[in-house]
Amino acid sequence: SALAVHKLANEKKSLVNCFIGLCGVYDITEHYQWESERGLHEISPMGKAAIHMNHFDFYSPTKLLSKCNDQNIISFYPKVFLLHGIRDTTVP
């Protein structure tokens, strides 16, 4: 998972060569807001999966990577590819 990759990078252990995320929710806050606009947030597993809305950024790969400013830690990150189609209406 993205969180495991982030944790290993912070521990300066380079055990993963590459992380490829396929068609996932990469920014949980943004997706939860999109679900809320459609009235789906009440039944969405997003809140439960990330424990609580306060933890959305902690579990969002795009947020994890954008908050890391330490070049020494970044050097331990593997190559990261987040792939997503533009026609997906479930997870835009």
Side-chain angles (χ1 to χ4, degrees):
S1 77
L3 185 58
V5 170
H6 179 71
K7 184 175 188 258
L8 289 171
N10 278 312
E11 294 173 1
K12 298 182 180 172
K13 296 177 182 174
S14 186
L15 301 176
V16 177
N17 291 325
C18 181
F19 175 80
I20 301 173
L22 298 173
C23 300
V25 173
Y26 303 124
D27 185 327
I28 298 171
T29 300
E30 183 178 289
H31 184 71
Y32 192 79
Q33 289 170 345
W34 184 79
E35 286 183 337
S36 297
E37 292 170 9
R38 298 175 57 213
L40 299 174
H41 64 289
E42 295 294 332
I43 60 170
S44 171
M46 283 291 143
K48 293 178 182 84
I51 301 172
H52 191 274
M53 289 173 57
N54 302 13
H55 298 104
F56 283 177
D57 286 357
F58 184 74
Y59 291 104
S60 298
T62 53
K63 299 290 186 180
L64 289 172
L65 293 172
S66 67
K67 287 183 180 180
C68 188
N69 297 328
D70 187 337
Q71 289 299 321
N72 193 24
I73 291 174
I74 290 173
S75 68
F76 283 89
Y77 270 86
K79 292 179 181 176
V80 176
F81 300 93
L82 302 178
L83 306 173
H84 197 86
I86 59 174
R87 291 186 176 177
D88 187 344
T89 58
T90 305
V91 181

